[in-house]
């Protein structure tokens, strides 16, 4: 039983008890429904929440001035090599949470990232936006297939870190994470590079908020074809320079966690 299962069991028991004691009413059904909705909303809206799934969203205090830049939804031939090049020009290694389907479509990009010392993480196989509404078996399949795609390209290695699509956590993921001993990694700082049009605004947002231990979310691809990541690409040199001026040292997520 995961913590999410215990919460579910407690919730069902409390709801049943209320209904038995007081009869079904707007109160005895409405309050539990609101509590359940709040829990789901917490797993959706707070990437650092620990309630349903143990989740890593920042480095340990002993990480000093280290931070981690993470890039989701690639690899994408249009953006990933250019983003990696910017990082490498600054002597920085990032963490790329790849979608399994994209890994199989562009294995050379994945090998290139690994050869340059970047970390590769699993971001599910298909990045299905309905993943959170599926049962545990479907969740496990998505996680495993994403991982198999990565390891088929990289060769056998340790189990990659896992970042859930859109950062969403639910009881299914809690069970899969426990079963596979999966480390679930979200972020403490969203660059908002997927919404912003102005690279300077993205860089400013990151640089004004970034603190030691932060895990920063950026994007080098998309689950939808044809996405434009030019804002991320243009913001990146400013971010790297700003971090350097603030004496914040970007490392991979695994390095940050091993600090
Ligand atoms: Zn994603």
């Amino acid at each position: 039983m995961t913590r999410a299962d215990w919460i579910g069991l407690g919730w069902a028991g409390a709801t049943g008890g209320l209904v038995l004691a007081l009869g079904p009413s707007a109160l005895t059904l409405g309050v539990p429904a609101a509590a359940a909705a709040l829990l789901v909303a917490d797993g959706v809206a707070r990437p650092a929440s620990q309630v349903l799934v143990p989740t890593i969203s920042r480095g340990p205090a002993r990480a000093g001035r280290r931070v981690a830049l993470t890039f989701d939804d690639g690899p994408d031939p249009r953006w990933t090599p250019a983003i990696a090049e910017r990082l490498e020009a600054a002597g920085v290694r990032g963490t790329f949470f790849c979608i399994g389907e994209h890994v199989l479509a562009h294995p050379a990009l994945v090998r290139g990232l690994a050869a340059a010392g970047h970390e590769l993480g699993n971001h599910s196989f298909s990045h299905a936006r309905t993943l959170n509404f599926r049962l545990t078996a479907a969740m496990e399949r998505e996680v495993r297939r994403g991982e198999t795609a990565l390891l088929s390209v990289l060769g056998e290695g340790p189990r990659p870190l896992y970042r859930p699509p859109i950062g969403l956590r639910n009881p299914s993921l809690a069970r899969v994470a426990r079963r596979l001993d999966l480390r679930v990694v979200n972020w403490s700082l969203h660059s908002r590079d997927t919404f912003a049009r102005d690279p300077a605004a993205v860089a400013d947002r990151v640089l004004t908020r970034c603190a030691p231990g932060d895990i920063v979310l950026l994007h080098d691809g998309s689950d939808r074809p044809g996405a434009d990541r030019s804002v991320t690409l243009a913001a990146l040199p400013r971010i790297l320079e700003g971090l350097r001026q603030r004496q914040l040292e970007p490392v991979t997520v695994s390095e940050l966690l091993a600090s």
Side-chain angles (χ1 to χ4, degrees):
M1 292 268 290
T2 65
R3 174 160 41 180
D5 291 327
W6 285 112
I7 291 172
L9 205 62
W11 175 86
T15 306
L18 267 177
V19 172
L20 277 177
L22 304 173
S25 71
L27 181 73
T28 56
L29 293 173
V31 169
L38 266 179
L39 258 183
V40 170
D42 182 68
V44 171
R46 288 203 310 139
S49 169
Q50 301 290 331
V51 178
L52 288 178
V53 183
T55 306
I56 297 160
S57 57
R58 57 180 311 115
R62 60 180 183 277
R65 297 197 62 78
R66 293 172 141 196
V67 297
L69 300 180
T70 66
F71 300 86
D72 283 13
D73 299 345
D76 182 315
R78 206 166 154 209
W79 307 109
T80 306
I83 284 174
E85 201 173 279
R86 302 282 194 288
L87 291 171
E88 288 151 28
V92 166
R93 290 178 300 171
T95 302
F96 292 79
F97 285 99
C98 300
I99 298 176
E101 284 175 345
H102 296 179
V103 169
L104 296 184
H106 309 291
L109 293 183
V110 173
R111 277 191 285 268
L113 289 171
H118 302 292
E119 180 169 13
L120 281 303
N122 177 10
H123 194 37
S124 84
F125 185 72
S126 67
H127 204 280
R129 295 184 177 218
T130 53
L131 191 56
N132 241 38
F133 304 102
R134 302 222 207 120
L135 299 176
T136 304
M139 179 72 82
E140 181 163 348
R141 215 160 34 240
E142 269 290 316
V143 172
R144 281 186 184 274
R145 286 182 77 197
E147 191 172 297
T148 303
L150 261 186
L151 295 180
S152 74
V153 171
L154 296 174
E156 285 311 305
R159 167 153 279 151
L161 302 174
Y162 181 70
R163 174 167 286 165
I166 337 182
L168 305 186
R169 277 80 39 75
N170 67 0
S172 299
L173 180 59
R175 285 178 214 119
V176 174
R178 166 166 297 190
R179 197 175 295 165
L180 303 185
D181 198 16
L182 202 60
R183 297 178 95 187
V184 177
V185 177
N186 269 349
W187 57 88
S188 52
L189 175 50
H190 192 321
S191 68
R192 302 229 187 276
D193 61 339
T194 43
F195 321 120
R197 302 244 163 273
D198 177 11
V202 172
D204 280 353
R205 178 182 165 81
V206 171
L207 293 171
T208 52
R209 290 161 197 250
C210 198
D214 265 332
I215 296 177
V216 184
L217 172 63
L218 296 137
H219 294 81
D220 67 318
S222 172
D223 57 338
R224 292 170 184 184
D228 185 327
R229 292 291 175 243
S230 57
V231 170
T232 312
L233 186 60
L236 193 53
R238 297 174 194 242
I239 292 172
L240 291 166
E241 174 56 20
L243 293 177
R244 197 186 62 77
Q245 284 173 7
R246 286 162 180 71
Q247 286 156 8
L248 289 166
E249 182 200 352
V251 295
T252 66
V253 172
S254 283
E255 286 168 340
L256 182 74
L257 300 180
S259 297

